[in-house]
Amino acid sequence: QVQPVESGGGSVQAGGSLRLSCVASRISFSSSSVGWFRQAPGKEREEVGWIDSYSNIRYAEFVKGRFTISEDKAANTLYLQMNNLQAEDTAIYYCGATGPGTYCGSRCSPDNINYWGQGTQVTVSS
């Protein structure tokens, strides 16, 4: 089964940090775009950051330098380091990947994602 597995969520105070991990053992990072998404209560799922077709790491505007994506291709693992978390960052965070041979560009709509992890909850209290 091709399904990424996320871990690392939790509860933190505003200004705190968390590091999320996504293991995508059956997804080739060179043949797909892999990224992080989130869904807050009552809102649509949105992109947080992703790796595009040129292997560039891109971020949504709201990240504003607070979050950093890194990857370990040998381990098929994607990370999301989140610093200076705010209450509005509270959401379920998902790892997602496009299908083989398809990629994200300057945007990475959740509609483009073929494989989703189960999500990990991030709660930030002010």
Side-chain angles (χ1 to χ4, degrees):
Q1 184 175 354
V2 182
Q3 182 180 26
V5 179
E6 305 97 335
S7 61
S11 297
V12 296
Q13 299 271 358
S17 298
L18 283 172
R19 188 191 195 208
L20 307 184
S21 299
C22 167
V23 178
S25 56
R26 297 189 64 184
I27 295 172
S28 169
F29 281 26
S30 59
S31 300
S32 302
S33 280
V34 189
W36 288 99
F37 302 78
R38 71 183 188 181
Q39 188 165 17
K43 294 188 176 181
E44 294 187 352
R45 195 170 298 190
E46 61 181 353
E47 59 269 41
V48 175
W50 62 96
I51 301 175
D52 71 13
S53 56
Y54 295 100
S55 297
N56 297 314
I57 298 176
R58 294 177 176 266
Y59 299 95
E61 280 289 322
F62 66 79
V63 168
K64 295 180 181 177
R66 299 181 299 132
F67 298 176
T68 303
I69 287 176
S70 59
E71 59 178 334
D72 180 345
K73 289 184 177 179
N76 271 59
T77 302
L78 192 71
Y79 301 99
L80 179 65
Q81 176 67 44
M82 302 186 292
N83 297 327
N84 192 22
L85 284 161
Q86 302 300 315
E88 53 266 34
D89 296 315
T90 294
I92 299 175
Y93 283 71
Y94 297 89
C95 179
T98 57
T102 62
Y103 301 91
C104 291
S106 58
R107 289 292 311 276
C108 195
S109 167
D111 293 338
N112 295 334
I113 300 302
N114 293 83
Y115 307 109
W116 290 105
Q118 81 287 352
T120 185
Q121 177 71 46
V122 171
T123 302
V124 185
S125 56
S126 55

